[in-house]
Amino acid sequence: SIDHGVDFDMDYRVVWEDGTIRNVIAQGRVVHGFDGQALRMNGVCVDVTARKQAEEALRRSEEKFRRIFESMEEGYLLTTIDGTFLSVNPAAATLLGYDTPTELVGMNLVQDIHVDVEGSKLMLSELKRHRRVAGYPLKLNHRDGHRVIADCNVRLIDGEDQHGSPIQLLEGTFRDVTARIKVEQALR
């Protein structure tokens, strides 16, 4: 770099005397004289091994979470407090008759999917009181029009909007128990 008078910023691996491999970032700047000639180079080398290891651990963790999220059989949903879908997994889309999760993002659970608005209000009231409901039955509209009875586990969580302001969100899982309910009713 000094021969060409250009700065450098490099990321590379170094083998220490003890055989360990370390990740290093080297940055340097060429110092020029009054005549424009390169005189020397000032720079620094920083061991960033711990940061690289943390980044790799985070990448693996995110990959693991993504595999679980995409392969779980229960529907997962994250909505605003008013019911607007922010995130759903593929199982949620399938259980509600949609081809992809992105079709549901932006739709509203209460206005577009939920059949029993009164039941939805009761569940929200329970959530505000206890911050969690388990085994809560909700009647939902499948995309093709038939009713789905869902067994829901939902919790109220504190989050942030895109501007960093605090908001409350609903996060939960649900499964279709329609067939089980019909069998139970037939046995009565």
Side-chain angles (χ1 to χ4, degrees):
S1 279
I2 198 162
D3 292 337
H4 302 293
V6 294
D7 298 342
F8 72 92
D9 186 350
M10 297 171 49
D11 189 349
Y12 56 94
R13 295 175 359 149
V14 176
V15 179
W16 257 221
E17 281 185 21
D18 65 1
T20 60
I21 298 174
R22 309 298 289 183
N23 293 91
V24 175
I25 289 180
Q27 296 175 325
R29 170 160 281 162
V30 176
V31 178
H32 297 91
F34 293 115
D35 61 358
Q37 291 294 318
L39 297 175
R40 69 180 176 277
M41 181 168 276
N42 293 338
V44 64
C45 290
V46 179
D47 182 349
V48 293
T49 304
R51 186 189 81 200
K52 291 281 191 180
Q53 289 170 340
E55 288 170 352
E56 179 59 21
L58 177 61
R59 186 193 64 73
R60 283 193 311 268
S61 177
E62 288 173 343
E63 207 173 86
K64 178 182 175 183
F65 173 75
R66 175 66 47 204
R67 278 193 314 271
I68 292 168
F69 182 76
E70 291 179 353
S71 67
M72 64 189 278
E73 291 184 22
E74 286 192 336
Y76 167 87
L77 56 87
L78 178 68
T79 74
T80 60
I81 194 76
D82 71 348
T84 302
F85 287 110
L86 301 174
S87 178
V88 297
N89 70 346
T94 300
L95 290 168
L96 295 171
Y98 292 85
D99 297 324
T100 67
T102 55
E103 292 177 85
L104 285 165
V105 173
M107 290 178 68
N108 188 282
L109 175 65
V110 178
Q111 296 169 2
D112 302 319
I113 307 292
H114 198 229
V115 175
D116 182 10
V117 175
E118 197 56 42
S120 181
K121 288 179 185 176
L122 288 170
M123 183 180 80
L124 191 55
S125 174
E126 284 293 309
L127 281 166
K128 287 181 178 179
R129 240 185 322 221
H130 304 289
R131 298 195 61 91
R132 174 178 302 270
V133 295
Y136 199 92
L138 284 180
K139 294 176 186 162
L140 306 174
N141 276 325
H142 189 276
R143 187 178 196 177
D144 70 11
H146 79 269
R147 300 287 191 261
V148 174
I149 301 171
D151 182 54
C152 303
N153 299 299
V154 183
R155 67 186 182 130
L156 186 63
I157 60 173
D158 298 315
E160 292 181 348
D161 66 12
Q162 65 270 23
H163 306 293
S165 300
I167 59 170
Q168 289 189 311
L169 302 170
L170 302 177
E171 178 182 58
T173 59
F174 68 97
R175 58 192 169 108
D176 183 348
V177 293
T178 309
R180 187 191 83 203
I181 298 292
K182 287 181 180 178
V183 168
E184 288 172 0
Q185 289 173 343
L187 293 174
R188 288 186 200 155

